[in-house]
Amino acid sequence: MASIFTKIIQGEIPSYKVAEDEKHFAFLDINPNAKGHTLVIPKKEENKIFDLSKQEYAELMDFCYRVAKALEKAIPCERIGMSVIGLEVPHVHVHLVPLNAMEDIQFVKKEKLSNDEFVSLAEKIAQNFE
Ligand code: AMP
């Protein structure tokens, strides 16, 4: 069965998309640690990141780099944190989190954002994606 993230890529489940290329997709985490918390995923459905080939892994990191650059421009923060963590969704996902405090990367404190806030954050990040 397709993962929830594959359904997002295919548009069956809505998301706040921030970037996409042929092999990757980036969208806002629906339960964010901080404003701009973004998930970057390969379109190929693979459970574990280190089961990707070296080339697929390198391409994913290259795409993460581009998304992180856009996040830095769009979201005021001290730096972008990156984490591969979690056991919930069996589809590789890299968390990119704008950090202003260590708590922002601890997956404990969560932000409550309105739909309008999600839309405006996604637009701002997308505009800065190169
Ligand atoms: P984990 O596998 O523990 O990293 O958890 C999956 C992550 O995906 C969590 O941070 C969720 O908030 C996020 N998530 C789950 N479903 C969605 C969705 N439909 N849209 C955006 N983010 C999601």
Side-chain angles (χ1 to χ4, degrees):
M1 199 176 88
S3 77
I4 185 168
F5 289 167
T6 293
K7 288 180 180 169
I8 284 176
I9 294 164
Q10 292 171 344
E12 286 174 41
I13 294 177
S15 70
Y16 300 102
K17 173 176 142 180
V18 304
E20 180 176 14
D21 73 3
E22 194 194 329
K23 295 182 180 173
H24 310 95
F25 195 88
F27 56 106
L28 295 179
D29 193 303
I30 204 71
N31 190 22
N33 293 8
K35 282 184 184 165
H37 180 169
T38 296
L39 298 176
V40 181
I41 61 178
K43 289 185 177 175
K44 178 186 168 193
E45 193 173 315
E46 188 73 67
N47 182 3
K48 298 183 282 183
I49 192 163
F50 297 117
D51 282 345
L52 294 173
S53 69
K54 278 188 187 172
Q55 185 179 335
E56 289 165 343
Y57 175 80
E59 287 171 350
L60 177 65
M61 287 302 118
D62 184 69
F63 191 76
C64 285
Y65 180 94
R66 294 166 63 202
V67 174
K69 289 289 181 189
L71 278 172
E72 272 187 327
K73 287 183 187 153
I75 314 285
C77 62
E78 286 201 29
R79 66 187 62 198
I80 305 299
M82 183 166 88
S83 182
V84 178
I85 194 170
L87 299 167
E88 197 184 309
V89 180
H91 186 144
V92 173
H93 50 288
V94 179
H95 295 261
L96 295 178
V97 186
L99 300 181
N100 289 297
M102 282 303 289
E103 292 75 41
D104 294 333
I105 201 73
Q106 285 173 359
F107 297 87
V108 177
K109 182 177 72 70
K110 295 291 182 179
E111 287 271 342
K112 281 273 168 266
L113 303 179
S114 68
N115 180 59
D116 285 353
E117 285 176 301
F118 274 118
V119 169
S120 128
L121 282 165
E123 277 173 7
K124 211 168 165 194
I125 299 162
Q127 282 161 8
N128 283 283
F129 181 73
E130 291 172 14

